Amino acid sequence: MKSNNKNIEETIVAKAKELGASLAGIASIEDLKASSSYAIYDKKPFYEEYKGVTWREAHKSVLVWALAHPISEPVLDWWSMKVPGFTPGNGIMRTQSKKLRIWMDEELGIKALSLPYQIEYGGAFLKDSAALAGLGVIGKNNLLVTPEFGTRVRLRGIFMEAELEPTGPIEFDPCKGCDQPCHRACPRDAFRSGSFERPYCKEENDKREANGQMVDGSIMGIEESSEVVKPCRFCELACPVAQGTSG
Ligand code: B12
């Protein structure tokens, strides 16, 4: 369906924020398909379960939103197999996604698909989606850097059966003139070549995965205690954007 109400994009973004999104925006699937991640990933997927993407003709736009992950709430990012959505942050975003999808259908007549987090199970590249939707830009740390929260956000997306006006990209150049504390902060020197090299980053996260810690269920919002993995955030937390420091 083609949008004939010029405020429909604003209505959707406002609803996402009403449901708890810290930021939200819309990108076109055509632009997303053309983003570099798909070309790279199709040649060399990270996970063997990935069998390529089956694009559905009806999906024309992607709604992408961010949930702020401040340093004061590290638990949002902790992984546990017992937590719905695996992290408390993902759990919140999964619920937001379901509510948004139902609301879109009931209130706007737009059919939508809530995307899983993992690419290999049908998820989309969320940083690319967010950059195209104007939530921020991809920084030298290989992360989405937003004007409002810097890098400290997590993302989620929904494919929509409606051709909507993209809300981005935006003009924003936060890495210009920055001496890249993100690169120096990495415990594995994953930016040694000047850009992000996934295998080094993965070494650090694999080590953390092998060294999970038992924590009380109440910390993770579940009944029983569980083993949790605390993913590395050094490059993310070193980014000075929107942190009120000069770096
Ligand atoms: C697999 C994965 C990982 C793997 C591999 C990471 C990798 N980038 O290769 C591992 C476990 C190592 C990892 C680590 C981390 N991850 Co991770 N990861 C993912 C996941 C599931 C898929 C990413 C992927 O496979 N990308 C494909 C590869 C080919 O591309 P890429 O390295 O991302 O780089 C591409 C883009 O930057 C793009 N690009 C560059 N410039 C531009 C400009 C424009 C306009 C566009 C459109 C695109 C674009 O081109 C690049 C390829 O050429 C996403 C969730 C999702 N569904 O998207 C989260 C995600 C990217 N990770 C996230 C985070 C936070 C992290 C960590 C900080 C760990 C943590 N605490 O969770 C580190 C940071 C590493 C880093 N500096 O990149 C967040 C990012 C939030 C943000 N602010 O950007 C995401 C979105 C998950 C989430 N919960 O929201 N991750």
Side-chain angles (χ1 to χ4, degrees), residues 46-172:
F46 302 157
Y47 301 98
E48 60 183 35
E49 293 88 344
Y50 181 77
K51 301 284 180 258
V53 181
T54 315
W55 296 100
R56 291 231 313 263
E57 184 55 34
H59 292 146
K60 302 290 186 196
S61 313
V62 54
L63 170 68
V64 55
W65 68 99
L67 182 68
H69 270 40
I71 197 166
S72 56
E73 291 182 66
V75 175
L76 285 173
D77 226 19
W78 293 357
W79 281 83
S80 160
M81 295 306 279
K82 291 189 181 164
V83 168
F86 302 119
T87 69
N90 267 343
I92 295 169
M93 297 189 94
R94 240 171 46 141
T95 304
Q96 291 170 340
S97 187
K98 193 172 174 187
K99 287 185 178 164
L100 275 164
R101 178 175 55 76
I102 293 169
W103 169 82
M104 269 182 216
D105 188 11
E106 287 180 355
E107 299 297 323
L108 305 177
I110 296 175
K111 298 275 179 230
L113 175 73
S114 286
L115 298 170
Y117 168 86
Q118 293 109 319
I119 306 300
E120 62 278 21
Y121 299 123
F125 290 113
L126 294 169
K127 287 184 296 179
D128 302 50
S129 306
L132 292 166
L135 268 55
V137 295
I138 309 292
K140 298 273 187 210
N141 45 24
N142 194 41
L143 292 170
L144 182 82
V145 185
T146 68
E148 296 85 353
F149 305 100
T151 49
R152 300 173 187 191
V153 291
R154 298 295 176 268
L155 304 168
R156 199 87 187 179
I158 285 185
F159 281 174
M160 299 176 289
E161 296 187 11
E163 210 160 295
L164 303 173
E165 203 55 50
T167 53
I170 50 165
E171 288 290 327
F172 180 46

Side-chain angles (χ1 to χ4, degrees), residues 156-203:
R156 199 87 187 179
I158 285 185
F159 281 174
M160 299 176 289
E161 296 187 11
E163 210 160 295
L164 303 173
E165 203 55 50
T167 53
I170 50 165
E171 288 290 327
F172 180 46
D173 196 359
C175 300
K176 194 175 174 189
C178 180
D179 70 347
Q180 295 171 10
C182 52
H183 285 202
R184 295 194 300 278
C186 179
R188 299 280 168 164
D189 204 8
F191 300 93
R192 65 188 75 174
S193 63
S195 59
F196 176 72
E197 289 187 71
R198 176 182 167 270
Y200 300 117
C201 174
K202 199 168 174 307
E203 271 173 24

